[in-house]
Amino acid sequence: HQAAFHQPNACQAMIQSSSSGPAESESPPPHIDSQVAAVSRRLAPVREHFELAEECLRTLQDISENVCPGTWAPVGSFANGFLTPFTALDAVFVPALGAPGVDADLSVPVSSLSGLVEKLQQCADFQLNKNLTSPEPDTKHDDVGDGESQEIVNQFKSEGIALTFKSLLKVLIRVKSQEEANVWYRSTSLLCQYAKLSSGVRDLGVIVVTWAKNAGICENSGNIFSTYTWLLLVVYFLQVHPTFVLEVLPTSSAEHLSAPPCLQFLGKDASATIAAAAEGSAPPSKAKYTLSELLREFFDFYVRGYQWGTEVISIRMGRRLTTIDEAYSLLPDKFSMRIHIEDPFFPNVNLEATFRKDLVRSLHKKLWAALKAIQSGLLPDELRGESFPLSPFPLQEQDLEVPDENDLAQIPLPASFWASRWAF
């Protein structure tokens, strides 16, 4: 069912018309390798950060046990393997069926949530934040009145409550029914399996997500792509890469992914080269890549290789197919000339709907600017040292020496290799 493309579609031609195509080159300049590797080391998970999350989950479990029995489980970056020193702990609470004050149909607490929130407010280890991104808690636990407490309960059941644990770890907690939690569990577990296939998946994923967050086009709420969506873009790129060829993991029978996830500590070291796939699963002839090469090719693919408006980003299929393929018969809005991203567990969900229409051109321009910087031997601005938030944890040694742009030789930017290397 693959459709062959010989000319860019109308949307892609329109977007690319604003930029001139760069000249031929095989790989980024050598000095960019050390810069990207230094960024990767800076994003490597920190053991103290991880251990604090373990302690936080144990404390949450102890607090809830006497008020509203249930299960706490990490989701997101702490459980999917894409952890960095700047990651907040995202935890889901599923009340036990039959617990006092629990709705038997939805398994969501009705009255016991107030008691749980009250216990959290009384615990000296937790401080309640009105804004997760705020570096300092806005509200101390002993300053919350009854009216605000009820507001917090409602927030707990909707978008979640933002906390700080021991003044160091940012935490976002949500209450979900078992059915709702299973959706989160599956997506978290699937990404974790991909992160374990190859260090390249994790290393590239955390750099791309960091770049996107600093560029203002990644947020877990609002009308832009979430961390989850950006990681789908990374996995898909590696699946359809002509020589990396990341294995496609099944999602059709997802029951085995529905168990509560565990905390994952992956990517302890930033290696200079990355194997094409997990050991033993790829032919010996598969190439190895520097992280900077993968990063450059990621941006190049989504700037000039991906068929904007017609190609579907689907890690469920892991092949370059278009919206007219029968595999995407359930995909909504597939005739809009934008970017199409299928939810791997819900073929009837197009994640592009979360992205504001007026930001599509801005998204492409940011991808293009990042590609151009790397090809010029520079880190994108969003990956420079000053773009990173402060971390309370000791980071790995880093050497972020950035060459002066004026001192660099004029390096011709490469034409996209996708047209010649990839037959769509």
Side-chain angles (χ1 to χ4, degrees), residues 117-118 121 128 130 139-153:
V117 169
E118 183 180 349
Q121 293 169 356
L128 186 65
K130 291 182 179 178
T139 307
K140 297 293 184 179
H141 58 80
D142 53 356
D143 295 332
V144 182
D146 292 339
E148 191 168 358
S149 179
Q150 182 58 46
E151 181 183 340
I152 294 168
V153 170

Side-chain angles (χ1 to χ4, degrees), residues 20-75:
S20 57
E24 192 70 34
S25 175
E26 288 299 319
S27 61
H31 51 261
I32 193 66
D33 291 349
S34 60
Q35 297 178 57
V36 174
V39 172
S40 182
R41 288 194 297 273
R42 186 169 194 179
L43 294 175
V46 175
R47 176 59 66 179
E48 293 88 340
H49 189 207
F50 182 81
E51 291 174 348
L52 197 61
E54 291 180 314
E55 183 182 355
C56 179
L57 285 174
R58 288 194 300 268
T59 304
L60 287 170
Q61 191 69 52
D62 292 342
I63 291 175
S64 63
E65 203 61 40
N66 297 323
V67 182
C68 182
T71 302
W72 288 93
V75 293

Side-chain angles (χ1 to χ4, degrees), residues 165-385:
F165 182 66
K166 292 194 170 180
S167 302
L168 291 173
L169 179 67
K170 291 182 179 180
V171 186
L172 183 63
I173 58 174
R174 300 176 176 91
V175 61
K176 297 292 179 183
S177 67
Q178 187 64 64
E179 183 178 355
E180 291 171 327
N182 286 343
V183 175
W184 292 61
Y185 294 169
R186 287 197 297 266
S187 59
T188 297
S189 299
L190 181 64
L191 286 178
C192 184
Q193 289 190 6
Y194 275 111
K196 291 179 177 179
L197 283 180
S198 166
S199 60
V201 181
R202 199 213 80 89
D203 292 346
L204 181 63
V206 295
I207 286 186
V208 167
V209 167
T210 300
W211 168 83
K213 285 182 176 180
N214 292 341
I217 49 177
C218 177
E219 189 177 328
N220 291 328
S221 61
N223 296 321
I224 54 179
F225 289 157
S226 66
T227 298
Y228 176 64
T229 303
W230 277 106
L231 291 175
L232 294 182
L233 266 67
V234 170
V235 171
Y236 177 74
F237 158 71
L238 294 174
Q239 286 174 333
V240 300
H241 192 285
T243 50
F244 199 98
V245 196
L246 185 67
E247 179 184 351
V248 179
L249 300 177
T251 60
S252 54
S253 56
E255 290 76 15
H256 68 289
L257 298 175
S258 296
C262 302
L263 294 171
Q264 299 288 335
F265 190 84
L266 305 179
K268 300 176 184 177
D269 303 303
S271 55
T273 59
I274 295 167
E279 184 178 356
S281 64
S285 59
K286 294 296 183 186
K288 290 190 176 183
Y289 301 86
T290 64
L291 188 53
S292 64
E293 288 172 334
L294 282 182
L295 186 61
R296 191 269 295 184
E297 293 183 5
F298 171 86
F299 289 125
D300 198 10
F301 174 65
Y302 284 108
V303 168
R304 297 173 296 192
Y306 169 73
Q307 298 291 315
W308 288 69
T310 55
E311 183 176 352
V312 179
I313 298 166
S314 169
I315 70 170
R316 173 180 67 93
M317 300 300 295
R319 292 183 289 146
R320 301 193 71 186
L321 303 173
T322 67
T323 55
I324 63 174
D325 192 276
E326 66 181 25
Y328 306 122
S329 59
L330 301 178
L331 191 71
D333 301 321
K334 58 185 176 183
F335 296 114
S336 65
M337 299 303 288
R338 299 206 290 157
I339 185 171
H340 299 289
I341 309 168
E342 180 199 56
D343 187 296
F345 298 106
F346 300 97
N348 61 338
V349 173
N350 191 338
L351 295 175
E352 66 89 25
T354 64
F355 202 81
R356 278 172 41 195
K357 293 180 175 60
D358 59 313
L359 293 179
V360 173
R361 185 176 289 273
S362 174
L363 168 65
H364 194 277
K365 285 182 177 180
K366 290 178 184 292
L367 290 165
W368 180 270
L371 171 64
K372 189 173 181 180
I374 291 176
Q375 286 298 339
S376 300
L378 296 167
L379 283 173
D381 289 342
E382 296 81 5
L383 292 177
R384 303 286 183 91

Side-chain angles (χ1 to χ4, degrees), residues 90-153:
D90 204 339
V92 168
F93 176 63
V94 180
L97 283 172
V102 173
D103 186 315
D105 294 327
L106 297 177
S107 186
V108 173
V110 177
S111 60
S112 295
L113 274 184
S114 298
L116 180 55
V117 169
E118 183 180 349
K119 289 293 184 182
L120 287 171
Q121 293 169 356
Q122 293 172 353
C123 179
D125 288 336
F126 286 105
Q127 295 168 309
L128 186 65
N129 299 351
K130 291 182 179 178
N131 186 346
L132 182 65
T133 60
S134 175
E136 295 295 334
D138 295 313
T139 307
K140 297 293 184 179
H141 58 80
D142 53 356
D143 295 332
V144 182
D146 292 339
E148 191 168 358
S149 179
Q150 182 58 46
E151 181 183 340
I152 294 168
V153 170

